[in-house]
Amino acid sequence: MKTLVAVTILSMALAGCVNPGKASVQEEQLQKHRFVLENINGKAVTPGMTPAPEIAFGEDMAISGVMCNRFSGQGKLSDGELKVKALAMTRKLCAEPELNELDHAIGTMLRNGTQVDLTEDQLTLATADTTMVFKRAE
């Protein structure tokens, strides 16, 4: 009887350690990949923008990209949240208002932290206010 109780308690303890949700994205899954922005908050990005809005992940989570302005910084991925403490960004004013809005959105997301999801070739960065969906570039 004591053995049965011990096995039951051990089983319940181990079951509590299993994460029922999806696994967090790992740095290795992002590194050395480039992603092009497809939509923000469900609204498709205007096709043919030059340059095309994108984000890239280098070795050791060096992050770079462009919306209207270029940005870069050292990213840190922890429990599915991506943060870039010292994000550097150029500061030109863009002719297209949509690109200026994208600059502001990506800057805020990366500085304050954004949840990251990678499903096949689709990267999603999401906060309470903004969701950006990217597609892996060839």
Side-chain angles (χ1 to χ4, degrees), residues 11-108:
S11 296
M12 289 184 342
L14 289 174
C17 294
V18 176
N19 181 3
K22 57 187 168 186
S24 293
V25 174
Q26 302 299 309
E27 290 181 358
E28 299 79 33
Q29 295 172 280
L30 298 174
Q31 292 176 13
K32 300 180 183 174
H33 291 288
R34 185 173 64 92
F35 299 88
V36 177
L37 184 64
E38 290 190 318
N39 73 64
I40 180 168
N41 296 329
K43 180 183 174 208
V45 174
T46 306
M49 285 187 180
T50 304
E54 67 175 46
I55 189 168
F57 299 86
E59 291 187 26
D60 299 322
M61 290 303 288
I63 295 174
S64 62
V66 63
M67 292 297 152
C68 170
N69 287 282
R70 297 200 172 278
F71 60 89
S72 63
Q74 186 62 46
K76 180 173 174 154
L77 188 60
S78 179
D79 295 326
E81 182 183 59
L82 175 65
K83 242 182 186 176
V84 181
K85 283 189 180 177
L87 184 69
M89 186 178 282
T90 58
R91 296 187 180 267
K92 67 179 182 179
L93 182 63
C94 303
E96 297 177 48
E98 182 179 6
L99 288 174
N100 288 315
E101 291 170 18
L102 291 174
D103 273 345
H104 177 72
I106 195 74
T108 300

